[in-house]
Structure formats: C-alpha cells, structure tokens
Amino acid sequence: MEVFNALTQMTPAAEPAIYVTLRLRMVDSQIRARGIEDERVLSAMSRVPRHEFTAGRYRDQAYEDYPLPIGEGQTISQPYIVALMLEALALTPSDRVLEIGTGSGYVTALLAELAAEIVSLERYAVLADEARGLLADLGHSNVKVIVGDGTFGFPPGAPYDAIIVSAAGPEVPRPLLAQLAEGGRMIIPVGSCDSQQLQLIRMRNGQPHTQWRELCRFVPLVAGGAIGS
Ligand code: SAH
C-alpha cells in the first residue's frame, strides 16, 4: 500500500495505469534482473514516466528493451544502459551534474531525481526545447537545458561531481576532464561508430583514473556547434 501511495503521488495525475504496470515490469525484468542493485536508481526509474519522452508513435514502446528514435536522427537510449551508467556514477543527493546529450530529456529527468543540480547540453535546439518543456511540465526545477556543443562542457557551472555523456567519440574531450571535481566521476562511451566501450573515470588527487566497462552503441558525439536556435 505504501509503495502504491508513493507511486500515485509521484506520477502525473493523468498517467494511464498501464504505463505504471509496464514501467515496473521494465525495472524488474530488464534492470534488476540484469544485476542493477542501486535502490535509488531503481526507484527513480520506477517513477519517471518514460513514455512522455518517446514521442508520438513510439509512446507504446517506451518500456521495451531497446533504443527508440526521437527525431533529428537521434535516439533515446535503451533503459538498461541508462541504469548501468547511472549506477556507475554513484550519485548523491547533493551532487552537481553535467549531462552531454539531453536528447529526449529522459536521463535528465532521472538525474533531476537523483542529484541536486543538473546542467544538460544538447546541440539540436529543437530537441533541447522539447526536453526543457517536458521537464518543466514534470516539475523538475533543478535542471538547466542549454543548446551548445558539449565537447567543451559548460565552464560556468564547473566543477561537476559527475559527468554523463550519452554520445560516443574517439576520445574523452579534454575540457570535460578539466571540469570534473576532485572525487568526481564521469561515464562516457568511447570508440568508433561500430565499436564502443563505456569508460568510468574517477578524479583522484587531480589525476583521472579510468576503468573500462561494458561494450555499448551510442549515436556519435559531434563537435562543431549547435543546430537551430
Ligand atoms: N540521454 C538521451 C540520449 C540522446 S542521444 C536520451 O535518452 O534521450 C544523444 C544526444 O547527444 C543527441 O540528442 C545528440 O544530438 C546529442 N549530441 C551529440 N553530440 C553532441 C555535442 N557535441 N554536444 C551536445 N549534444 C550532442
């Protein structure tokens, strides 16, 4: 009953019950069953209405086990990879977080539930605008969505306790390392279009320490300015 109350309080009043059912099933069968144990991550994914972030005809596939198109040739990531990245970041409620690649805003909403302040960069103005509106509608007031090239990070907000990059490039952009706080964590896919691996980087005594993690497949991290205004 307590769980039920918590869910009904934290989801928008108009949310169809079927989405709650599908979401809890997604968390159990795709996330928990594959070894994600961080209760804060599991709880946030049980609450955030992913179907709001999968526009139009993909709405009913929001809780399936694969990425989906979100326009501009981009995708909302597979739920499991999102969980994996969030667990690796070990976020605390006081953390300040930089996200590169807002896309639909789904990960941004999860970050908003898990940390104190979020700065999120997206190079497509049209995606940033949509995400900004949706995040405001859902009541996330601790988020700033900015149109810009994330390979430069966002120096005015630095240093960050955590950085999450949702697009893959051949190497870790240096400005991002420079904007990671002492004790901070960054998760980023690195590699070519065909072959990528997550890197978890921890900043200790001013030095980045890298752990190579799971293989993955993300859209490209594209340097070179924003698109649209
Ligand atoms: N977390 C998002 C993932 C979106 S896909 C979601 O689940 O919806 C990755 C996003 O990164 C795309 O929207 C793409 O436009 C954006 N992106 C790629 N290169 C970028 C760059 N240099 N700066 C900012 N955003 C970038």
Side-chain angles (χ1 to χ4, degrees):
M1 191 61 182
E2 245 168 58
V3 172
F4 177 76
N5 282 341
L7 274 172
T8 49
Q9 277 161 23
M10 303 197 74
T11 52
E15 181 179 42
I18 181 67
Y19 288 128
V20 179
T21 305
L22 292 173
R23 188 158 65 243
L24 295 181
R25 195 177 296 160
M26 170 193 86
V27 169
D28 271 343
S29 66
Q30 299 172 35
I31 315 291
R32 204 188 290 271
R34 288 193 180 118
I36 302 296
E37 292 174 343
D38 184 328
E39 286 300 331
R40 294 185 69 234
V41 170
L42 295 166
S43 165
M45 292 187 80
S46 302
R47 291 193 307 267
V48 172
R50 185 173 157 94
H51 60 277
E52 299 286 359
F53 296 87
T54 56
R57 64 200 168 107
Y58 295 107
R59 203 173 162 91
D60 287 346
Q61 294 176 58
Y63 299 101
E64 299 296 330
D65 194 14
Y66 42 75
L68 291 166
I70 55 170
E72 311 306 319
Q74 308 303 317
T75 53
I76 179 172
S77 307
Q78 178 199 24
Y80 172 63
I81 197 84
V82 171
L84 197 68
M85 293 172 86
L86 292 175
E87 182 171 65
L89 285 178
L91 295 169
T92 69
S94 61
D95 280 346
R96 299 184 57 257
V97 183
L98 175 67
E99 176 186 37
I100 309 301
T102 317
S104 66
Y106 173 63
V107 175
T108 326
L110 292 168
L111 293 169
E113 297 267 331
L114 294 167
E117 254 178 78
I118 321 299
V119 174
S120 184
L121 293 180
E122 170 56 54
R123 66 190 286 266
Y124 283 100
V126 57
L127 294 179
D129 288 348
E130 249 173 72
R132 201 182 285 121
L134 204 43
L135 290 162
D137 288 350
L138 292 172
H140 296 298
S141 53
N142 56 341
V143 167
K144 240 188 231 136
V145 178
I146 296 167
V147 178
D149 180 355
T151 59
F152 295 108
F154 188 68
Y160 301 96
D161 302 301
I163 300 179
I164 179 168
V165 184
S166 297
E171 57 193 21
V172 180
R174 280 180 175 274
L176 298 186
L177 284 174
Q179 291 168 38
L180 194 57
E182 177 61 26
R185 293 85 58 205
M186 170 163 31
I187 187 95
I188 176 169
V190 178
S192 63
C193 274
D194 303 326
S195 159
Q196 303 161 11
Q197 196 166 358
L198 286 175
Q199 277 190 23
L200 175 62
I201 300 168
R202 294 187 181 88
M203 193 59 78
R204 296 266 159 78
N205 303 317
Q207 293 297 317
H209 295 267
T210 301
Q211 189 187 350
W212 289 88
R213 300 274 309 248
E214 291 75 5
L215 296 173
C216 55
R217 199 179 176 116
F218 282 82
V219 297
L221 180 67
V222 184
I227 297 176
S229 56

